[in-house]
Amino acid sequence: MQSQDLAVNGIKLHVHMAGPETGRPIWLLHGFPECWHSWREQIPALVAAGYRIFVPEMRGYGRSDAPEDIEAYDVLTICADIQASMTALGQHDVCIVGHDWGAMVAWHLAQLEPQRVSTLVTMSVPFAGRGKRPAIEIMRELFADRFNYIIYFQQPGVAEQELDADIERSLLIFMQGASSGNLLLQKRPADSKLFDGIATPGELPHWCTAEDFKLYIETFKKDGFRGALNWYRNFERNWQKTEFLQDVKIEQPTLFLVGDKDPVATLEAHTISRMPSRVSSLEQHQLSDCGHWIQSEKSAEVNALLLGFLERHFPA
């Protein structure tokens, strides 16, 4: 692995790189609350297949800059980080792979860059175009009388105070509870905190070693969770700024993966069912006995599906 700071889009973006310099470029975009190391099982497999891999620490995370302003984290600005990076590196034909929030960035990059982003892989978060209303409006109506973590994240400083108080515990709970839905789907009063009634897991999940976990913790030591949470505070702004993409379908060959125990599969079932109407060339798979952290929990299956898809649509 190599790493480099790229001065792009008004920030410093820290990017990890691996593989032959002549290999076709693949970008791996992580989600929340993850880090570049969440792709640790995919990087060697992709490098062995002959690809050049680029894994950024996304805006607000780790060694990349974390601007103070909430407005600095709307989806088009985050996309621009990757677009400017591709330009700086002279890339004209790439595959974008994204998980969780990284998947949302990947979906939008495919719309914004139909020529340069020739192949798309998304995991855990589906996409069926811009909604008729901002998603946060709908959430506030649906969860007027009960807790919802995204609504809880909206007030600046509140979630940060809870999550930053014990970064190790916060990440451990996310890894265990957010994977299968215990943390996100549990019914609680609207004025609850995120971890109210949630016990601290006694051990790491089977897919994360102590050494791996140290890198997750290191990611949030510098700036805490503030930058990462600011992504959630732009739902309405994202909706307003993407009106020009309203009718843009995704024409690139696209692979979508989701776990059968992922709470997103339940919460976004309607979106998943609508994807074929907005994604013209879609291949999708649901992995059995798998939660939200799909590329870690089922790394062998993910790698097999990913490499098979790439061989057909983005050969090294």
Side-chain angles (χ1 to χ4, degrees):
M1 295 294 297
Q2 306 161 324
S3 64
Q4 180 180 348
D5 288 331
L6 298 179
V8 293
N9 199 27
I11 66 163
K12 176 192 74 178
L13 191 72
H14 193 76
V15 182
H16 300 264
M17 307 170 186
E21 294 192 8
T22 56
R24 296 184 80 179
I26 296 179
W27 285 78
L28 305 175
L29 310 182
H30 69 77
F32 172 91
E34 295 180 280
C35 64
W36 73 273
H37 192 61
S38 63
W39 297 108
R40 61 193 174 276
E41 299 291 348
Q42 286 67 52
I43 294 169
L46 291 169
V47 168
Y51 296 99
R52 178 72 170 166
I53 308 305
F54 299 84
V55 195
E57 300 187 24
M58 301 294 277
R59 173 183 290 243
Y61 288 80
R63 283 163 283 192
S64 292
D65 285 345
E68 291 285 342
D69 293 342
I70 291 173
E71 293 81 0
Y73 295 86
D74 71 76
V75 70
L76 294 186
T77 298
I78 295 167
C79 282
D81 293 345
I82 307 303
Q83 290 171 283
S85 297
M86 292 190 294
T87 298
L89 295 166
Q91 297 174 353
H92 305 288
D93 176 28
V94 308
C95 173
I96 299 288
V97 181
H99 174 253
D100 188 78
W101 264 110
M104 187 56 67
V105 176
W107 288 117
H108 283 85
L109 282 170
Q111 290 183 298
L112 293 165
E113 296 269 6
Q115 282 76 43
R116 183 154 56 173
V117 178
S118 62
T119 315
L120 181 67
V121 180
T122 60
M123 303 181 192
S124 299
V125 172
F127 181 71
R130 180 176 178 268
K132 294 180 179 179
R133 291 191 293 158
I136 193 65
E137 283 188 10
I138 300 170
M139 292 178 200
R140 291 188 190 281
E141 292 173 5
L142 292 175
F143 293 90
D145 60 349
R146 55 195 171 100
F147 179 81
N148 175 270
Y149 74 101
I150 292 177
I151 295 173
Y152 177 69
F153 287 170
Q154 295 306 302
Q155 183 61 42
V158 174
E160 287 93 325
Q161 184 176 15
E162 182 178 9
L163 298 179
D164 291 350
D166 189 336
I167 290 172
E168 181 174 345
R169 177 176 182 264
S170 296
L171 288 171
L172 186 56
I173 292 175
F174 273 120
M175 285 182 171
Q176 296 279 26
S179 180
S180 61
N182 294 338
L183 176 62
L184 306 183
L185 301 181
Q186 188 181 78
K187 292 184 178 181
R188 288 179 282 160
D191 60 353
S192 299
K193 291 186 177 181
L194 182 64
F195 296 150
D196 282 356
I198 303 294
T200 304
E203 59 184 6
L204 288 165
H206 69 88
W207 47 265
C208 184
T209 70
E211 290 301 312
D212 295 328
F213 193 52
K214 287 180 182 178
L215 289 175
Y216 281 80
I217 295 171
E218 195 65 32
T219 294
F220 294 93
K221 275 189 174 180
K222 179 169 72 75
D223 296 297
F225 285 84
R226 172 182 51 79
L229 289 166
N230 280 340
W231 291 46
Y232 286 90
R233 294 166 183 154
N234 279 276
F235 277 98
E236 185 167 354
R237 188 172 294 104
N238 291 344
W239 185 82
Q240 293 169 346
K241 295 185 71 171
T242 56
E243 184 176 4
F244 72 101
L245 296 174
Q246 178 76 48
D247 299 319
V248 178
K249 286 190 175 183
I250 292 172
E251 306 287 353
Q252 299 93 323
T254 301
L255 173 66
F256 175 70
L257 304 177
V258 67
D260 63 342
K261 293 184 178 180
D262 189 334
V264 177
T266 300
L267 295 171
E268 298 289 344
H270 179 61
T271 303
I272 293 174
S273 70
R274 291 173 54 226
M275 272 201 302
S277 68
R278 297 305 303 270
V279 185
S280 300
S281 179
L282 177 65
E283 176 184 335
Q284 53 183 322
H285 299 271
Q286 186 176 88
L287 277 62
S288 299
D289 193 30
C290 180
H292 186 64
W293 315 117
I294 185 169
Q295 73 269 44
S296 297
E297 295 182 45
K298 295 290 182 178
S299 58
E301 291 180 47
V302 167
N303 288 356
L305 290 167
L306 176 59
L307 290 169
F309 176 80
L310 293 172
E311 185 177 354
R312 293 189 296 276
H313 299 288
F314 195 75

